[in-house]
Amino acid sequence: MLIDSIHSPEDLKKLRLDELPIVASELRKEIIRVCSLGGGHLASSLGAVELITALHYVLDSPRDRILFDVGHQAYAHKILTGRKDQMPTIRKEGGLSGFTKVSESPHDAITVGHASTSLANALGMAYARDSLGQNYKIVAMIGDGSLTGGMALAALNQIGFTQKNMIIILNDNEMSISENVGALNKFMRTLQVQPWFQEAEGASKKALAQISRPLTEILSRAKDSARTFFDPNSQNPFHAMGVRYVGPVDGHDVQELTYLLERLSNLEGPTILHAITKKGKGLGYAEQNPIKWHGPPKFDVEKGETSASSGYGWSAAFGDAATELAKEDPRVFVITPAMREGSGLVQYSKVHPQRYLDVGIAEDVAVTVGAGMALQGMRPIVAIYSTFLQRGFDQVIHDVAIENLPVVFAIDRAGMVGADGSTHHGVYDLSYLRLIPNMGIGIPKNALELRGMLKAGMKRGGPIAIRYPRGNTEKVQEGVWPALEWGKWERLREGNEYVVLAAGKTLEYAVKALEELPKDAKVGLINARFLKPLDLEMLSEISKTTKGIVTVEDNAAAGGLGSAILEALSSLGSKVPVKILGIPDEFFEHAEVSSIHARAGIDATAIRTALAEFGVDVPISI
Ligand code: HTL
Ligand code: MG
């Protein structure tokens, strides 16, 4: 294989132009092989193979900076930059990251995982380059989905204004994880059906032979952009923002892309190259169902079958509950920032299409749209991953909480998420939500409790957050809604000499840790399922007689459950010693969740160790 001899972009440049399609097809095979072994972002990476090959053929990385938005489409980039042999380790403990990561390779220009950051980073780099009097090229590649994010649009606004030299490659496959949304996306579709585009597409192969002519044409069109800057009649929003627009071009014609990039990279000012690609390109079943193959687990390449996921997921538990709630209550409306599948909303979106909204990759917008709905009498549920709600923090305070609006936050993937790594772990939400007045926070132990909390939260009013982890729970029958009082804990094991307080995922660990304790051991276990408000009645009762409390949470120890308990005990004037088991003050890379929990010291072994330190006679090993 040609790619066996490519250990850096320098090696790629030694190949002839007509060998690049072969490289692309080999890269594809390798990406399919690697993803089939251990899962990964297959369809996105397959779609970007030619763009990445052309970029590395033309540019001089790492001197020139190539920025990948999200970084999930960059597998070909990893292979071409000397990481081919490590690819089977991707997303595994100690292995390559599934995204680009500055500390992993000098060729990875940014550390990323969340969408829409590439353009602002590129602008910052352009300022750094120009301030330091340096001269290199900056190329940001962004998907059509990621361009729906406010960060990307606001950066574009600034890039067009400041006219910094850079190329933006819009890798447009008409898909986010699900179908892409938004007016820009709609506009980009209209470009492809314009007669001049279709003609140009047909002519482009012929024109390649005499590249200078059509390129001059393209550029003269582009030059118009300078004139149409601020022209209210401009049809092209990129032109209107001051960014030279070239395209749409075929994002799978690696030779044409090479020609274009060579010429565009020497232009003054910002240029956007709009490349049309196919998500899942080259793998029939992935092309046909890019949603399923966006990020599959390991699979059988021949059969196109993933290893069947078993069990009932937390996401499904939420989706089912929301579907039922919306049937009962016409005010219920579910909002997702581009995570229909991941948040368990496929069924909901079909049953209640009129009360379902995908706002694109715009978490800030999702939160504030919820606020607007609540102000006008609706009962919105913002279904959002813990890690992505970080993007909506100010909106939760400013737009929702100050006026105590009844917005429910259904927070999925709370806690460690595993293979996606440090950018995606949802281990801060308890801390950043607990500090917000009016907020209610629940941590259910199973689907039944999730339903109880949804109902109790709706009844309570005001903003509430219900957080649950990645993984499975027990299925609940339709129509079952347990009564639950918001703010009341549950005692699961009697005993008050020492008491363990845990909730959600860590409650499972606590149950396990206490399983083999002698019956007469006076160690109690509390399901501390409400973090806000705490069950102060129960806590104060416990504090009167207990000799020590252990708190366990899959959240940063700073500011989470343990902190809340300490604060409450301090207000009660209690001097009960507390051992806080939570995520320590460091970032954890990708690995199995259980492995991270062990290293972070929040699993069953850690709980036993803490009890043993208190003097409880308990075997440490599980
Ligand atoms: N919200 C934010 C802020 N960041 C991320 N990464 C997500 C949600 C989740 N997410 C992805 S990949 C992706 C989303 C929504 C779709 C991106 O679409 P795009 O790329 O068109 O940019 P494509 O897949 O090639 O079509 C991940 O978490 C990996
Ligand atoms: Mg896309």
Side-chain angles (χ1 to χ4, degrees), residues 41 44 70 72 99 113-115 143-146 171 173 175-177 279 294 338-339 361 363 388 391 424:
H41 286 109
S44 311
V70 186
H72 67 315
F99 309 107
H114 286 197
D144 54 316
S146 299
N171 171 16
N173 55 19
M175 295 296 290
S176 190
I177 293 179
K279 199 158 172 171
H294 170 82
M339 299 305 284
I361 310 179
E363 288 79 9
F388 301 138
R391 286 272 172 96
H424 279 56

Side-chain angles (χ1 to χ4, degrees), residues 540-572:
S540 103
E541 188 195 306
I542 292 167
S543 70
K544 280 176 196 149
T545 53
T546 191
K547 290 200 268 178
I549 293 175
V550 178
T551 67
V552 207
E553 61 199 300
D554 54 348
N555 186 86
L561 172 68
S563 297
I565 299 297
L566 280 182
E567 288 162 23
L569 288 173
S570 148
S571 308
L572 290 169

Side-chain angles (χ1 to χ4, degrees), residues 471-589:
N472 289 338
T473 175
E474 302 102 58
K475 195 166 172 132
V476 179
Q477 267 194 330
E478 219 182 300
V480 178
W481 295 94
L484 202 69
E485 199 181 327
W486 192 270
K488 287 281 168 239
W489 291 348
E490 180 190 30
R491 190 180 279 276
L492 293 180
R493 191 182 197 277
E494 293 303 322
N496 211 40
E497 195 174 5
Y498 294 97
V499 178
V500 178
L501 299 182
K505 180 81 195 163
T506 55
L507 188 65
E508 287 171 30
Y509 291 145
V511 168
K512 200 167 149 203
L514 301 187
E515 237 162 31
E516 285 161 39
L517 275 190
K519 285 267 177 306
D520 60 347
K522 295 192 179 66
V523 178
L525 175 60
I526 306 293
N527 175 12
R529 59 193 173 187
F530 291 102
L531 178 67
K532 198 158 183 182
L534 295 172
D535 188 338
L536 286 180
E537 210 178 311
M538 193 180 282
L539 184 64
S540 103
E541 188 195 306
I542 292 167
S543 70
K544 280 176 196 149
T545 53
T546 191
K547 290 200 268 178
I549 293 175
V550 178
T551 67
V552 207
E553 61 199 300
D554 54 348
N555 186 86
L561 172 68
S563 297
I565 299 297
L566 280 182
E567 288 162 23
L569 288 173
S570 148
S571 308
L572 290 169
S574 163
K575 293 197 177 65
V576 173
V578 180
K579 284 188 192 291
I580 296 176
L581 307 185
I583 309 298
D585 191 19
E586 63 185 274
F587 290 108
F588 283 80
E589 304 295 354

Side-chain angles (χ1 to χ4, degrees), residues 353-492:
Q354 307 301 326
R355 282 182 284 145
Y356 165 79
L357 176 66
D358 175 352
V359 297
I361 310 179
E363 288 79 9
D364 44 0
V365 173
V367 174
T368 303
V369 165
M373 285 184 188
L375 280 168
Q376 300 306 116
M378 297 291 283
R379 301 305 294 268
I381 302 175
V382 179
I384 195 162
Y385 283 20
S386 169
T387 187
F388 301 138
L389 183 55
Q390 289 162 200
R391 286 272 172 96
F393 177 58
D394 175 61
Q395 287 74 6
V396 176
I397 297 176
H398 177 270
D399 298 319
V400 175
I402 289 179
E403 287 300 340
N404 199 24
L405 299 180
V407 178
V408 173
F409 296 94
I411 304 180
D412 206 322
R413 305 305 196 273
M416 291 292 177
V417 295
D420 278 335
S422 51
T423 55
H424 279 56
H425 295 318
V427 291
Y428 309 109
D429 59 287
L430 294 183
S431 313
Y432 70 67
L433 292 174
R434 193 172 71 81
L435 56 80
I436 303 175
N438 289 337
M439 201 75 209
I441 305 172
I443 312 169
K445 69 174 178 201
N446 56 25
L448 203 61
E449 216 165 71
L450 167 71
R451 293 163 82 94
M453 284 183 182
L454 273 170
K455 270 274 166 79
M458 290 272 189
K459 203 165 132 211
R460 170 191 183 265
I464 62 154
I466 302 174
R467 60 106 75 177
Y468 39 91
R470 185 169 168 270
N472 289 338
T473 175
E474 302 102 58
K475 195 166 172 132
V476 179
Q477 267 194 330
E478 219 182 300
V480 178
W481 295 94
L484 202 69
E485 199 181 327
W486 192 270
K488 287 281 168 239
W489 291 348
E490 180 190 30
R491 190 180 279 276
L492 293 180

